[in-house]
Amino acid sequence: MSADDYEIIDYARWPRRELFEFFSRVSNPFFSVTFNLDVTRVYEYAKANGLSFYYALTWLITKAVNSVEALRCAKLDGNIVLLPERSPSFTDMKKGADTFHIVTMPAGDDIKRFCLDAKRRSEAQSEFILMSEEGPNLIFISCLPWVELTALTNERDFDPDDAIPRIAWGKYREAGGRKILGLSIELNHRFADGYHIGKFNEKLCELIEEL
């Protein structure tokens, strides 16, 4: 990723500078939050349009992440930068398989097109991961559809500059005629706080209702 692909933030005037430096002194700056999300509308929309619920929610989550500026911040080439957008890098499984692979692609602006393209790419991909598509402008996304998710930890090479959001969800449950699932988001506290998770959730709920 070249400097032309992001905006360099003026560190001296960055409103988050004090928080960034505070959390830079701790040995583990990463934190995770899991909360319930009503996905009834996503399920109904996907079913009505013949789309994958997983791909549809991946697209919605990507759009919600990109709406929160703090979730697009990173440290690259020694600078604090603002990425124009993040792209989903998501786990997927081929039919009949018991192992997964990782698909990375732009989200685009059309949920239906994304779902169809994600299905095509996933089915065509023979490698576990295409490293040429990986970079600092991603969102790591995964799903455990076999269990209800109440908490999650992620594997990682420990890098305090790692600002890639990690988002996962589990099996939805029926509650009062609604479909509810637990969604986990892990962030680097140097770049974002619980407030930003709240803004992410707020935007995600708005996008779901707009379907």
Side-chain angles (χ1 to χ4, degrees), residues 94 99-103 120-130:
K94 290 184 172 66
T99 58
F100 69 92
H101 57 279
I102 296 173
V103 181
R120 178 187 62 79
R121 290 189 186 216
S122 182
E123 290 177 347
Q125 184 170 316
S126 57
E127 300 92 336
F128 167 67
I129 187 172
L130 297 175

Side-chain angles (χ1 to χ4, degrees), residues 12-208:
R13 298 185 178 184
W14 188 31
R16 190 172 181 81
R17 177 179 174 178
E18 187 175 7
L19 282 164
F20 179 86
E21 292 177 352
F22 175 84
F23 287 112
S24 291
R25 293 193 292 269
V26 303
S27 59
N28 181 0
F30 303 100
F31 75 107
S32 177
V33 174
T34 302
F35 57 90
N36 287 330
L37 180 70
D38 187 333
V39 294
T40 310
R41 181 65 187 133
V42 187
Y43 177 87
E44 293 172 346
Y45 178 86
K47 186 173 182 180
N49 289 277
L51 303 174
S52 160
F53 170 82
Y54 177 53
Y55 297 153
L57 189 52
T58 293
W59 186 88
L60 291 163
I61 282 171
T62 300
K63 290 299 178 184
V65 165
N66 282 326
S67 75
V68 182
E69 185 173 293
L71 303 187
R72 291 188 283 116
C73 287
K75 186 176 181 181
L76 300 176
D77 302 322
N79 296 308
I80 303 298
V81 306
L82 178 63
L83 302 168
E85 66 178 6
R86 291 188 177 274
S87 295
S89 183
F90 54 94
T91 61
D92 206 1
M93 299 178 70
K94 290 184 172 66
K95 187 176 182 179
D98 60 2
T99 58
F100 69 92
H101 57 279
I102 296 173
V103 181
T104 303
M105 57 183 286
D109 295 321
D110 188 300
I111 186 172
K112 293 181 181 178
R113 184 177 299 170
F114 172 82
C115 291
L116 295 175
D117 195 26
K119 181 176 185 294
R120 178 187 62 79
R121 290 189 186 216
S122 182
E123 290 177 347
Q125 184 170 316
S126 57
E127 300 92 336
F128 167 67
I129 187 172
L130 297 175
M131 293 306 299
S132 60
E133 300 293 329
E134 299 299 295
N137 62 325
L138 302 178
I139 309 164
F140 292 157
I141 293 175
S142 189
C143 178
L144 288 78
W146 313 279
V147 296
E148 291 184 22
L149 193 67
T150 57
L152 184 79
T153 59
N154 286 281
E155 80 296 335
R156 64 168 68 246
D157 285 327
F158 189 82
D159 176 3
D161 292 337
D162 182 351
I164 296 176
R166 288 157 167 81
I167 298 176
W169 58 91
K171 179 181 180 181
Y172 58 73
R173 58 182 171 84
E174 301 286 346
R178 311 296 294 179
K179 289 179 169 55
I180 310 295
L181 59 74
L183 186 142
S184 169
I185 178 168
E186 182 178 291
L187 301 172
N188 188 326
H189 222 329
R190 298 164 83 205
F191 299 95
D193 307 314
Y195 169 79
H196 303 109
I197 294 178
K199 299 301 291 184
F200 159 75
N201 179 53
E202 180 181 318
K203 183 62 176 181
L204 180 55
C205 290
E206 288 178 7
L207 291 168
I208 289 173

